[in-house]
Amino acid sequence: MLHVEKIKRPQAVQSGGNVIISGVRCLDLAQTLDCGQAFRWTLLSDGRWRGTAYGRLLTVGAAPGILTLYDTTLAEYEEIWRSYFDLDRDYTAILTAVQGDPVLDTALEFADGIRILRQEPWEALCSFIISQNNHVPRIKGIIERLCIRFGRPVDSPVPEDTPEALRSAFPSADDLARRTVDELAPVRAGFRAKYILDAARKIAGGQIVLEQLFCIPLDDARRKLMEINGVGPKVAECALLFGMGRIECFPRDVWIKRAMELLFDGALPEAALPYAGIVQQYIFHYARMTKLKL
DNA sequence: ACCCAGGCGACGA
DNA sequence: TCGTCGCATGGG
């Protein structure tokens, strides 16, 4: 007997030069692109967002249940953006699974449109090396200057009004490995410059292969990343969560430490543990939005 | 002007 | 192993 199948997977169609994706749930672009997980997206005056990832420039807009990717193709959607926006993961099911704790539920109301983007591993690692002891606006500035100075031009058509920084891809580890601390000075990364170079060199030299860290045991992956000077437990956790799809990772920055102490008595609810990384981002966003103080 | 930030490494006890 | 301190810089 026939029955109407519930649409679980988003459906994408080409419409003129754009790709329109329907059946997209739990995606708020402002929350997702400006919640401190990625640093290369900007809000345009018309309400759309523009950013650069995987060497491509993208302009994206959203309506309830609909995501529109402008000036791109279904092929590029399948190659990059479907995974980037984590569209094959059922966030509704995750929200349902972790609900039940009154405090966590409050955080979820602030943040239930956040998705964990699947960023490039090297970009995530390098970005979170830069993030240490730093404010989000300044992290963005450093990454902008790094991309402008050392990144290669994006492999996409670039609209006229595009900010300079988005015209360049994130510089590869290979390209950065050849630079010196002095050459990085204009980026104004401070004491982090030497950390960026050590990371770039260990990856360019093959001592660390980021693609291997997607599926090996977590503690092995953590140890490997922490071979880099300037990568400790927090940065390693961020690289694994945001760059290598390890959603059980739980980076503890100052905001999360405050929230855990103040709101959760030190530990997440049991039901949240398999999705700790996603829940972490909900809590991070909630804590910052409410200026949570001890 | 001042505080502090999606921390980490070095150092001493 | 654990607490403390300096680090470069600049946004709010």
Side-chain angles (χ1 to χ4, degrees):
Chain A
M1 153 169 184
L2 291 173
H3 58 91
V4 177
E5 294 227 0
K6 204 163 80 176
I7 296 177
K8 289 183 179 169
R9 300 285 183 225
Q11 306 293 310
V13 297
Q14 186 86 41
S15 172
N18 306 328
V19 172
I20 300 176
I21 306 137
S22 54
V24 178
R25 292 180 292 179
C26 303
L27 175 55
D28 180 298
L29 290 179
Q31 285 180 16
T32 297
L33 300 175
D34 198 28
C35 70
Q37 63 169 321
F39 304 98
R40 302 204 65 203
W41 289 91
T42 183
L43 179 61
L44 302 178
S45 55
D46 59 12
R48 298 182 301 169
W49 289 80
R50 182 168 291 158
T52 296
Y54 292 87
R56 308 290 180 89
L57 180 75
L58 180 71
T59 306
V60 57
I66 306 286
L67 190 65
T68 302
L69 313 182
Y70 295 89
D71 301 319
T72 188
T73 61
L74 270 178
E76 183 173 305
Y77 164 70
E78 293 294 345
E79 182 193 350
I80 298 174
W81 306 115
R82 175 176 164 183
S83 162
Y84 184 79
F85 288 101
D86 205 15
L87 293 178
D88 290 323
R89 196 190 300 279
D90 187 349
Y91 279 74
T92 304
I94 294 173
L95 285 165
T96 303
V98 303
Q99 266 172 2
D101 177 89
V103 181
L104 184 52
D105 291 354
T106 305
L108 298 186
E109 285 177 29
F110 273 76
D112 61 4
I114 291 179
R115 283 171 172 261
I116 299 295
L117 300 169
R118 292 179 181 270
Q119 302 182 59
E120 289 180 89
W122 163 247
E123 176 174 344
L125 171 60
C126 190
S127 295
F128 282 93
I129 287 172
I130 291 166
S131 80
Q132 64 185 85
N133 198 234
N134 220 340
H135 297 269
V136 171
R138 190 160 173 271
I139 297 165
K140 290 180 179 172
I142 291 170
I143 291 173
E144 282 181 7
R145 293 187 288 276
L146 189 69
C147 293
I148 289 171
R149 194 159 285 262
F150 301 112
R152 302 185 182 212
V154 290
D155 184 20
S156 307
V158 177
E160 287 298 328
D161 56 338
T162 299
E164 187 185 0
L166 296 185
R167 297 166 184 262
S168 298
F170 197 92
S172 69
D174 281 341
D175 285 344
L176 288 177
R178 292 188 223 104
R179 305 295 177 171
T180 64
V181 169
D182 285 344
E183 288 178 297
L184 283 188
V187 172
R188 306 201 306 271
F191 62 87
R192 305 165 193 86
K194 57 184 179 292
Y195 298 159
I196 294 170
L197 292 182
D198 190 58
R201 286 167 186 163
K202 282 180 174 139
I203 283 144
Q207 176 179 339
I208 299 172
V209 181
L210 295 179
E211 288 68 26
Q212 291 178 348
L213 307 186
F214 280 71
C215 54
I216 66 173
L218 260 184
D219 278 333
D220 294 344
R222 291 183 176 113
R223 261 195 301 278
K224 201 68 192 163
L225 287 169
M226 287 169 61
E227 289 178 9
I228 298 164
N229 193 325
V231 175
K234 159 53 168 75
V235 171
E237 211 72 355
C238 284
L240 288 164
L241 172 59
F242 298 118
M244 297 161 219
R246 308 301 292 258
I247 62 160
E248 66 273 47
C249 284
F250 190 77
R252 295 170 183 266
D253 74 310
V254 291
W255 291 99
I256 290 293
K257 284 175 183 168
R258 261 178 230 155
M260 293 309 292
E261 187 174 334
L262 200 59
L263 304 178
F264 295 97
D265 202 25
L268 282 181
E270 191 79 20
L273 294 183
Y275 316 103
I278 295 173
V279 171
Q280 173 270 161
Q281 200 59 27
Y282 296 151
I283 297 170
F284 178 76
H285 189 247
Y286 170 71
R288 291 182 73 220
M289 292 301 102
T290 59
K291 301 189 193 315
L292 187 68
K293 298 285 182 194
L294 283 177

